[in-house]
Amino acid sequence: MNELDLSIFIPDSLTAETKDLKIKTYKVGLIARAASIFGVKRIVIYRDGADGEARFIRDILSYMDTPQYLRRKVFPIMKELKHVGILPPLRTPHHPTGKPVTGEYRQGLTVKRVKKGTLVDIGADKLALCREKLSVNRVMSFRITRMGKEIQIEPDEPEDTYWGYEVLDTRRDIAKSLKTVDADVVIATSRYASPITSILNEVKSKMDGARKVTILFGGPYRGLPEVRADINVNTIPGQCTETVRTEEAVMATLSIFNMLTQIDEPIGNDVRR
């Protein structure tokens, strides 16, 4: 799925099923893990009700996407982050665990402007120097051009490597939120739609001609609001539980679409139950 510019839409009611902050944190963490596993480029939070927790969801998602060596410097101490210690690491390429080396790409926090340029924290034992004047307190991507007494870097980002996701908190309903992305194909997920097993070729055909794909997910109580989409699909046909939680639907759905993008030939006859 890394070849796609893939966005997923999740509701601000994602955490409405529980009042326990630890469970809320873990639920959002599962979304982040699923997005990272399958190369999602963008997570859009839409308004699903008056009591949604979009800001909390945004903060947890952004926290997880930030490399560990920058988190304490980027995020202030606040009660919403009380249980982030339970969150699993993403272990994506932009979360390196070793010492920096020449040629490596890293995210860094711009710390201070100096005469030579800008000092940047890239998780090394000393600040690195970028010879450009950059805005301070920004997380950016850099390539290490030299290691030594002075670490030198330049703004850059790898082209063929998954480099995390962007989080958009639209504070709008799903129809208006869709205008924030320029999607070639919009896919709506619902238990009342056609089973994926009966429309595999139709879905694959839409995907094969698309560069930017958006997948929409509903909330825990109302499901997905009525919205115009190119495909409506049930990605968990024959579910044996009364409900499927949003974070479960995200993992299951991205797994299926990841499989479809790996198949070059027509699937053949759709599987029907």
Side-chain angles (χ1 to χ4, degrees), residues 67-69 91-100 104-107 122 163:
Q68 292 93 324
Y69 55 84
R91 299 300 298 273
T92 48
H94 70 308
H95 285 199
T97 56
K99 294 182 178 180
E104 182 183 16
Y105 292 89
R106 284 207 170 205
Q107 288 194 331
I122 61 168
W163 210 240

Side-chain angles (χ1 to χ4, degrees), residues 145-188:
T145 57
R146 180 181 177 184
M147 292 293 297
K149 290 184 178 181
E150 182 180 74
I151 302 175
Q152 296 183 12
I153 59 176
E154 61 183 26
D156 200 359
E157 184 174 309
E159 294 182 1
D160 301 321
T161 302
Y162 180 65
W163 210 240
Y165 52 76
E166 176 187 10
V167 183
L168 297 179
D169 174 8
T170 66
R171 301 174 187 261
R172 298 178 179 179
D173 62 30
I174 193 167
K176 292 180 179 178
S177 296
L178 273 170
K179 297 178 181 179
T180 63
V181 297
D182 181 23
D184 299 321
V185 177
V186 176
I187 300 166

Side-chain angles (χ1 to χ4, degrees), residues 44-56:
V44 181
I45 306 167
Y46 67 87
R47 188 179 64 202
D48 190 37
D51 300 322
E53 294 185 292
R55 181 176 177 179
F56 170 78

Side-chain angles (χ1 to χ4, degrees), residues 253-273:
T253 300
L254 292 181
S255 178
I256 291 171
F257 279 92
N258 178 68
M259 176 195 71
L260 291 177
T261 62
Q262 306 303 315
I263 300 174
D264 295 326
E265 300 298 326
I267 296 173
N269 294 330
D270 290 326
V271 180
R272 299 178 185 272
R273 293 190 67 178

